[in-house]
């Protein structure tokens, strides 16, 4: 059973997507009523590449999270997870975050929060040397990604995944460390840390 409140955190959004486009995308794909949608802005008022979508019930949100994770929106594969500061899950909440273009989110109830939280491990006893990174800016190179993750340990290799239809980055990548402990350090310290204007989502590489 998936533990989730009514709000979902959506990452790896294209910069040009606004709250209305985010809301419409979820409504069209899932057929559920979206009570609230918003896109977070950075300190310069530009999209930070992530947002919040709220549904009527936790059950609807849990179903949508499973169905919408890794779906493609305007050339980028979004990731969808529970909003870890959702008040329904006992989070403190932050009373709203700065919206893209300085406007409130729409679709029903007002509010919102950053949905920030730690990256995720998927195995119980064995940890990978690799981490999977999402929400990478299209202009970020493998070298920039490698340099960014060096703060967590010795980076053996870094790769940006390419969309073979367009020949450009799909917003995801892999970083391999010398030891599993360094990979764990990267997940702990670099998840939600901005790189080239986008907050990265870092988790264990499930394909390793």
């Amino acid at each position: 059973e998936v533990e989730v409140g009514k709000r979902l955190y959506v990452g790896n959004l294209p910069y040009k997507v606004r709250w209305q486009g985010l809301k419409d995308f979820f409504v069209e794909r899932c057929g559920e009523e979206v009570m609230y949608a918003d896109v977070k802005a950075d300190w310069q008022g530009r999209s930070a590449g992530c947002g919040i979508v709220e549904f009527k019930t936790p059950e609807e949100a849990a179903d949508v999270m499973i169905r919408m994770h890794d779906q493609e929106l305007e050339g980028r594969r979004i990731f969808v997870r529970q909003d870890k500061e959702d008040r329904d899950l006992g989070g403190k909440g932050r009373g709203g975050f700065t919206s893209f273009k300085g406007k409130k989110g729409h679709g029903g109830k007002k509010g919102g929060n950053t949905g920030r939280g730690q990256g995720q491990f998927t195995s119980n006893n064995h940890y990978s040397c690799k981490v999977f990174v999402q929400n990478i800016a299209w202009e970020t190179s493998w070298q920039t990604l490698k340099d960014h993750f060096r703060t967590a340990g010795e980076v053996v290799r870094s790769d940006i995944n390419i969309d073979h239809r367009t020949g450009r980055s799909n917003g995801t990548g892999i970083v391999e460390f010398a030891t599993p402990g360094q990979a764990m350090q990267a997940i702990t310290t670099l998840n939600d840390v901005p790189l080239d204007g986008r907050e990265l989502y870092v988790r264990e590489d499930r394909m390793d």
Side-chain angles (χ1 to χ4, degrees):
E1 182 179 353
V2 178
E3 181 185 10
V4 64
K6 290 186 270 189
R7 287 187 177 180
L8 301 176
Y9 176 89
V10 186
N12 209 31
L13 295 174
Y15 284 132
K16 64 182 179 180
V17 171
R18 294 170 171 77
W19 71 265
Q20 186 68 60
L22 180 63
K23 175 187 175 183
D24 291 346
F25 180 68
F26 274 77
V27 170
E28 291 168 4
R29 291 293 182 93
C30 297
E32 303 287 358
E33 181 180 359
V34 173
M35 304 302 295
Y36 172 85
D38 206 359
V39 173
K40 182 181 178 182
D42 63 18
W43 65 276
Q44 293 180 311
R46 302 175 303 187
S47 169
C50 59
I52 293 290
V53 181
E54 179 180 329
F55 296 88
K56 279 186 176 181
T57 67
E59 291 75 19
E60 287 182 1
D63 180 61
V64 170
M65 181 175 68
I66 294 170
R67 293 163 58 191
M68 294 298 289
H69 181 70
D70 208 33
Q71 294 296 308
E72 185 174 308
L73 173 59
E74 297 185 13
R76 299 185 73 96
R77 290 197 175 275
I78 63 172
F79 63 87
V80 184
R81 59 174 165 84
Q82 70 182 46
D83 173 16
K84 295 186 178 181
E85 292 189 359
D86 192 330
R87 293 181 184 275
D88 290 345
L89 295 179
K92 295 180 180 179
R94 302 196 182 187
F97 59 79
T98 304
S99 303
F100 185 27
K101 297 300 182 183
K103 298 179 180 179
K104 293 288 186 181
H106 294 266
K109 301 176 182 177
K110 293 184 179 179
N113 53 45
T114 58
R116 294 167 66 96
Q118 291 187 344
Q120 299 176 359
F121 292 110
T122 57
S123 56
N124 294 323
N125 300 310
H126 169 72
Y127 295 107
S128 171
C129 290
K130 297 179 182 179
V131 296
F132 181 70
V133 187
Q134 292 177 287
N135 209 31
I136 300 172
W138 275 326
E139 65 268 23
T140 299
S141 67
W142 68 265
Q143 185 65 59
T144 301
L145 186 67
K146 181 177 182 179
D147 292 343
H148 181 75
F149 276 81
R150 277 176 173 163
T151 60
E154 180 186 353
V155 177
V156 177
R157 180 185 177 90
S158 69
D159 289 300
I160 300 290
N161 295 324
I162 302 299
D163 185 333
H164 296 293
R165 294 172 299 173
T166 64
R168 65 182 182 183
S169 167
N170 69 359
T172 67
I174 297 289
V175 179
E176 181 178 358
F177 290 90
T179 68
Q182 293 171 352
M184 292 171 64
Q185 178 71 6
I187 293 171
T188 302
T189 62
L190 294 176
N191 186 62
D192 280 338
V193 174
L195 175 62
D196 291 337
R198 300 184 74 97
E199 294 181 358
L200 302 180
Y201 177 53
V202 186
R203 61 168 170 78
E204 184 184 12
D205 178 25
R206 296 169 184 169
M207 300 301 292
D208 188 29

